[in-house]
Amino acid sequence: MNLASVVLIKALRFGDARGWFCETYSERSAESAGIDVRFVQDNQSFSASVGTVRGLHFQRAPHAQAKLVRCVRGSIMDYAVDIRRGSPTYGKWVGAKLTAEGGEQLYVPVGFAHGFVTLEADVEVAYKVSDFYAPDCDGGIVWNDPTIGIDWPLPSGGAVLSDKDKVLPTLASFESPFNYDGVPLQPLTSA
């Protein structure tokens, strides 16, 4: 089962005079939150500048990826956009602030585009994926698509983007490879 809802996860931290400890991933805890996905690869990114936007990305079949995203240094606003053909919430999005201090994680299932913006300098983001990277299956939607309408919290200098992210297609010109599975995007709740 691959959960069709985006889920915000808040891991418990146990602290003492030395600092704190938490489980950043537990298959048992994930399954209790409805996430029954096998993760096969861990990725990590570093972004030097405030306002760095990465996204909106996805990977299509046969190597479609679900993601479990967390910020390990600094903070980001993280977004998931429903791009499942036939979904009543197609083109709608949810977002959550993820911080190293709070340890929040966002589960982004297959059928959703994912992106984030850094809220401070020198940010590191780590995420698990459910399939290996396959460049021929890589895809995306332009980050500032007016149809989607994400209100990105950007500094006065604007977004810092890769050349690839600057030329991604709009939602209107995009032919989604994902089908609606009967579960619409829901507002975020914590698991």
Side-chain angles (χ1 to χ4, degrees):
M1 169 189 127
N2 188 359
L3 183 71
S5 294
V6 179
V7 178
L8 181 62
I9 300 168
K10 294 190 178 181
L12 295 175
R13 288 189 172 174
F14 304 94
D16 60 25
R18 301 168 297 168
W20 54 263
F21 169 85
C22 80
E23 292 179 348
T24 59
Y25 178 75
S26 162
E27 187 175 86
R28 185 179 310 130
S29 296
E31 286 176 353
S32 71
I35 301 169
D36 187 11
V37 172
R38 178 178 166 249
F39 292 109
V40 299
Q41 181 176 306
D42 284 357
N43 300 326
Q44 187 162 341
S45 69
F46 169 77
S47 300
S49 299
V50 177
T52 298
V53 173
R54 294 180 184 261
L56 298 162
H57 302 148
F58 61 85
Q59 198 164 281
R60 66 181 60 83
H63 299 287
Q65 291 179 331
K67 298 177 181 178
L68 183 60
V69 184
R70 65 189 175 105
C71 189
V72 295
R73 180 168 41 153
S75 60
I76 63 172
M77 274 303 296
D78 202 26
Y79 300 98
V81 179
D82 187 348
I83 56 170
R84 297 168 297 157
R85 203 176 34 230
S87 171
T89 54
Y90 183 81
K92 304 292 185 207
W93 58 272
V94 293
K97 184 175 182 180
L98 306 184
T99 66
E101 184 178 318
E104 307 88 357
Q105 297 182 61
L106 193 67
Y107 172 70
V108 181
V110 169
F112 290 79
H114 170 256
F116 65 85
V117 61
T118 59
L119 301 176
E120 53 193 278
D122 300 328
V123 169
E124 291 184 52
V125 174
Y127 55 101
K128 296 182 163 310
V129 293
S130 63
D131 207 324
F132 299 104
Y133 175 63
D136 55 320
C137 297
D138 197 26
I141 305 290
V142 70
W143 69 281
N144 61 348
D145 185 299
T147 304
I148 297 170
I150 294 174
D151 186 17
W152 298 87
L154 296 172
S156 59
V160 177
L161 299 162
S162 70
D163 290 340
K164 173 184 144 183
D165 286 353
K166 290 177 185 176
V167 298
L168 290 171
T170 62
L171 190 65
S173 65
F174 169 68
E175 182 69 34
S176 179
F178 304 103
N179 292 314
Y180 179 57
D181 58 4
V183 181
L185 178 64
Q186 302 291 320
L188 286 180
T189 57
S190 296

